[in-house]
Amino acid sequence: MDEQQIRAELREWILAHAKSKPSGELTDQTAILETGLLSSLDIVEFVLFIEELRGDEVDTDDIEPEVFTSIDTLWEGFFGQAAG
Amino acid sequence: MAPTPHARTLRDGFLRAAERHADREALTVGDATRTYAALRDEAFALAATLDAHAPDGEGQLTAVFGHRHPTTFAAILGALVRGHGYVPLNPSFPIDRTRSMLVRSEVRSVVVDPTAVGQLEALLEGVPAGLTVLVPDADDVAELAARLDGHRVLGRADLRPASEATLGAAEPDGVAYLLFTSGSTGNPKGVMVAHRNVTAFVDVMVERYAITHEDRFSNTFDLTFDLSVFDMFCAWERGACLCVPTAQQKMFPGKYVKKQGLTVWFSVPSTGVLMSRLKMLKPGAYPTLRWTLFCGEALPVEIIERFQEAAPGSICENLYGPTELTIACTLYRWDAERSPAEAHLGVVPIGEPYPGMEIRVADASLAALPRGEAGELLMTGPQTTPGYWRDPERTAKAFVVPPGETRTFYRTGDRVVWPEGKPLLYLGRVDNQIKIQGYRVELGEIEAVLREVSGAEVAIAIGWPATSSGADGVVAFVGAPEADAAAILDAARERLPSYMQPSAVHLVETFPLNANGKVDRKALRARLEADA
C-alpha cells in the first residue's frame, strides 16, 4: 500500500468510528483525540487496525501520545521512514 | 496570610502545605505546572475577585466550569478559600444536564476555564440573570459580556490581588463539595459532602499510604467523579504533586505514569482493562509506583494480578464506596499468595471498613443479618454525608435509621456478604439480582462463568427480555472478539442451570463506558432494545 492509500484508510476508519461529525472536513491535520473524535475505547481497536495496516505489532510503551494527534503524525510515527 | 483561624476544613491541608512547600510542584497539567505558592496565589486572587463581586443573596456554593486546566484547580481552591463548597461542572458533558445542575445548586458565582468558555453561552441559556461569571484567562471579556447580557462577566483585568483575599468562615458541617450522581429515575441527585466527612477520609488515606511531599499522584478521574477528590486533596494534604494528563495523554496511561514518575496510581478497573488490551501491563513496566489503587466498579482478579506484575514495587488495593459515604469507605489489600483464594467469582474482595466506619448487612426490612448471609450493605460513621441537596424525600429513603439503631446509616444498594474471619465481598447491585422465570439470579455469577470459559476480562449479563417481575432470560456481552460464541455458550451450559444460561452471546471488541469510565449497562441494554 502506498502513502496515499494508507492515509485514506486511516481517514476512512476514523470517520467510521467518530463519535461526532468533525466540524468541517477531516484533514490530515485535524486533531483526532483532543477534539473527541475518537474516545479511549476506540484506541484499542484503532491500534489493532494500525497493526493490521503496517503488518507489525505496535508497542504502546514506546510510542508518544503525540503520534495520535492527526493523520499526519500517525503516518510519520507508524508508516513513514522514521517509523521503526 | 496566616493559616485558618477556623475549625478544620478541606482547604487547611493545602494551605499548610503551601506554607511548608511553597516552591514545590503542586500541580502539573499538560505542559503547565504550578508551585504551591503560585497555585495558592491564583486561588486567593480568584477568591478575592469573587468576594468583591459577590451577587446579592449568594449562598455557600461556587461553581467551577472547566476540565483539566490549572485555572479549574485554582478555582476549586478559591471556592474553599471563600468558605464555599465547590460544584464541579464538566464542559464535555451534555450541556442541558449540566445547566440543570447549575440551576438546581442555586450557585450565583461561576469560574470558567479556557476549555469551557466556548460552552458558556449554551450553559447560561435561560439561566436567571445576575450571576457573577469569572473568566480569569480572558484578556478581553467585552464581547462575551455583550452576549451574556444580565450577568456580570469578569476577566483577567478584573482580578484582585491575592493579598486582598480573606479566608471566609467555614465550618466542619458546611458543604465542601456538591456532586451530582445519576439517579436511577428522574433528576440527578446532588450529594452534599461536608468538610468533616472529607477530612475524615483524607486523614485515613494519607496515614495509610504514608503520603509525603515526594509523591506524585495520577488524576484519571473527571472532577465530577468524586474519586478525583482523593487525588487532589490527599496529594495537597502532604505537599505532593497532582499530575493531570491531557485528554490525549489519558489515552496512553502507561506512558504518562513513566513520563511523570507517578508514585500513586488510582483509576477505575476499566482503565486497567484498557491498559491490558493495549499491552501496557508488561512485567516491571512501572517501577516508580508505590501504590496501585482501584475503585468504582468490580475489580477482576486478572487485572489486579497484571497490574501487580507491571508495578512490582507497589502495594495494590481495591477501594469501595459510594459518593454518599465520601469517596471510599472499605478497602482490601491484594496479596498475591492469599488473595486469589479470597476472591469471589473472579472479583477482588472489598475488604474491611475504614477506621470509624461501621457495616450492617441487612435484609429488605433493614434488619441485620447474621454474619455470612448475603444482603444489602448499609454503613454509618464519620463519612456518612448529610444527604441530598434540597431533596428531603430521596434523602429519607437512602439515609435511614434501621430497627434497633439510633444512628443514621446509608443504604448503598449494593449486595455484599461478610463471612466470619474473611473480607467483605461485593456481589453486585441489589438490582443486579433479578428474577428470571421466578428464580433469583445474581448476574455477577453468570458473568464470572462467562469470563472463565471465554478467557475475556469483561463479560456483562443482562436480564433480557425484561418482564414486569424481572426477565425471561439472559443475554450476554463478552469482550473477546475473536472467540467462538457457540463454544462459549456450550461451555456456559455445562456450568449454569438452565434458567441462568444466556440465550445469546454477543462478542465485542470494547464495551461502552459511562461518563465515569465504568461499563455502561444501560447502553448495552439499549443495543438489545434497538435490535429487538
Side-chain angles (χ1 to χ4, degrees):
Chain A
M1 238 187 284
D2 68 18
E3 176 171 352
Q4 289 318 309
Q5 281 174 302
I6 287 174
R7 285 176 183 265
E9 290 270 349
L10 291 170
R11 190 174 309 121
E12 202 174 303
W13 195 98
I14 293 164
L15 284 172
H17 292 78
K19 293 286 160 288
S20 53
K21 287 274 161 276
S23 48
E25 204 185 336
L26 175 65
T27 71
D28 284 10
Q29 291 79 43
T30 304
I32 52 183
L33 297 186
E34 286 295 340
T35 54
L37 275 185
L38 296 183
S39 73
S40 60
L41 280 182
D42 300 315
I43 289 297
V44 176
E45 284 183 66
F46 196 36
V47 167
L48 293 173
F49 179 70
I50 289 168
E51 288 180 341
E52 203 178 298
L53 273 184
R54 65 191 287 219
D56 191 11
E57 208 173 278
V58 167
D59 188 345
T60 47
D61 284 338
D62 279 348
I63 51 167
E64 294 292 338
E66 288 70 26
V67 171
F68 282 80
T69 303
S70 66
I71 292 174
D72 271 349
T73 58
L74 284 167
W75 165 259
E76 281 157 27
F78 290 121
F79 305 96
Q81 296 205 329
Chain B
M1 186 186 297
T4 171
H6 308 286
R8 179 168 171 220
T9 61
L10 184 55
R11 67 193 176 198
D12 293 345
F14 174 83
L15 294 178
R16 199 172 49 242
E19 295 287 327
R20 289 186 192 161
H21 305 288
D23 296 327
R24 291 193 70 91
E25 262 182 34
L27 176 70
T28 169
V29 188
D31 296 328
T33 60
R34 295 288 187 278
T35 63
Y36 271 90
L39 186 58
R40 177 190 54 191
D41 285 353
E42 276 180 51
F44 279 6
L46 295 176
T49 310
L50 292 172
D51 280 345
H53 298 279
D56 290 339
E58 184 178 33
Q60 294 293 311
L61 295 172
T62 297
V64 180
F65 189 39
H67 193 48
R68 301 186 180 277
H69 189 279
T71 293
T72 278
F73 293 94
I76 286 172
L77 290 163
L80 297 172
V81 167
R82 301 185 75 196
H84 279 200
Y86 73 91
V87 185
L89 301 175
N90 190 334
S92 67
F93 284 1
I95 201 76
D96 290 344
R97 190 164 181 270
T98 303
R99 187 188 308 111
S100 111
M101 294 174 186
L102 175 78
V103 171
R104 287 179 49 213
S105 65
E106 299 166 22
V107 296
R108 308 298 292 148
S109 296
V110 189
V111 182
V112 184
D113 85 9
T115 72
V117 175
Q119 304 258 38
L120 187 53
E121 210 175 341
L123 176 72
L124 296 182
E125 199 181 306
V127 171
L131 297 193
T132 292
V133 180
L134 174 54
V135 194
D137 299 279
D139 287 319
D140 183 3
V141 292
E143 196 202 331
L144 194 58
R147 281 186 281 138
L148 302 174
D149 195 26
H151 301 292
R152 182 194 294 268
V153 182
L154 307 169
R156 194 192 302 278
D158 302 294
L159 284 177
R160 315 294 304 180
S163 57
E164 281 186 18
T166 51
L167 286 176
E171 296 302 328
D173 284 334
V175 175
Y177 56 89
L178 179 69
L179 280 191
F180 287 86
T181 69
S182 70
S184 47
T185 53
N187 277 328
K189 297 176 281 196
V191 181
M192 297 184 282
V193 179
H195 288 283
R196 61 179 166 76
N197 300 140
V198 63
T199 53
F201 168 82
V202 168
D203 284 349
V204 169
M205 294 279 86
V206 297
E207 277 300 311
R208 183 176 180 89
Y209 299 143
I211 302 303
T212 76
H213 59 272
E214 305 278 349
D215 278 309
R216 297 179 69 82
F217 280 62
S218 67
N219 176 226
T220 65
F221 307 107
D222 287 339
L223 296 167
T224 38
F225 192 179
D226 69 335
L227 302 181
S228 64
V229 176
F230 167 91
D231 302 340
M232 289 186 279
F233 289 96
C234 289
W236 293 337
E237 181 76 18
R238 292 283 174 91
C241 183
L242 179 72
C243 303
V244 186
T246 62
Q248 184 154 330
Q249 288 169 330
K250 207 182 139 191
M251 310 253 183
F252 301 90
K255 196 83 199 173
Y256 193 72
V257 174
K258 290 181 186 175
K259 187 178 171 210
Q260 290 292 339
L262 297 185
T263 62
V264 180
W265 172 264
F266 192 21
S267 76
V268 290
S270 284
T271 303
V273 172
L274 206 70
M275 291 171 77
S276 172
R277 298 291 306 278
L278 283 168
K279 305 181 200 102
M280 289 175 184
L281 296 181
K282 298 193 181 105
Y286 309 118
T288 58
L289 287 179
R290 295 203 303 123
W291 296 99
T292 299
L293 312 175
F294 292 102
C295 190
E297 57 187 338
L299 172 59
V301 166
E302 289 144 270
I303 291 304
I304 201 164
E305 281 180 335
R306 281 202 197 138
F307 225 111
Q308 177 72 82
E309 283 172 22
S314 81
I315 298 173
C316 297
E317 294 205 329
N318 185 28
L319 279 56
Y320 158 87
T323 305
E324 289 87 342
L325 292 169
T326 315
I327 306 158
C329 50
T330 77
L331 45 72
Y332 178 79
R333 182 163 297 184
W334 178 257
D335 178 279
E337 299 290 314
R338 188 195 70 236
S339 295
E342 289 186 342
H344 174 71
L345 300 171
V347 171
V348 178
I350 57 174
E352 308 289 330
Y354 277 32
M357 295 300 289
E358 270 180 54
I359 284 179
R360 182 183 182 102
V361 180
D363 65 13
S365 71
L366 304 183
L369 290 164
R371 270 299 277 269
E373 278 190 33
E376 184 180 355
L377 175 65
L378 277 62
M379 287 185 77
T380 192
Q383 293 177 213
T384 311
T385 56
Y388 302 116
W389 174 255
R390 303 273 192 266
D391 198 342
E393 203 176 308
R394 286 200 283 188
T395 299
K397 269 191 196 152
F399 294 83
V400 296
V401 179
E405 262 294 341
T406 52
R407 297 167 301 174
T408 299
F409 283 65
Y410 173 69
R411 294 185 69 166
T412 64
D414 288 326
R415 268 173 56 78
V416 298
V417 63
W418 198 14
E420 199 71 58
K422 294 208 173 133
L424 187 66
L425 297 171
Y426 173 84
L427 302 177
R429 292 292 295 165
V430 168
D431 46 18
N432 263 12
Q433 191 197 45
I434 60 167
K435 286 259 180 114
I436 297 180
Q437 300 159 27
Y439 292 95
R440 184 177 286 195
V441 170
E442 191 63 65
L443 291 172
E445 193 182 338
I446 301 174
E447 291 164 358
V449 167
L450 290 170
R451 282 198 304 270
E452 214 169 301
V453 302
S454 68
E457 281 157 357
V458 183
I460 301 292
I462 303 232
W464 184 265
T467 63
S468 57
S469 61
D472 270 343
V474 177
V475 169
F477 293 84
V478 174
E482 316 278 301
D484 178 349
I488 294 174
L489 281 173
D490 283 344
R493 278 193 196 110
E494 291 183 10
R495 305 272 303 270
L496 294 167
S498 62
Y499 59 90
M500 290 174 80
Q501 294 168 1
S503 60
V505 165
H506 298 281
L507 302 175
V508 294
E509 180 87 49
T510 50
F511 283 89
L513 301 183
N514 65 20
N516 285 340
K518 306 182 198 179
V519 173
D520 189 342
R521 287 173 182 271
K522 275 187 210 148
L524 291 173
R525 184 174 289 279
R527 276 189 206 174
L528 295 175
E529 278 159 12
D531 291 345

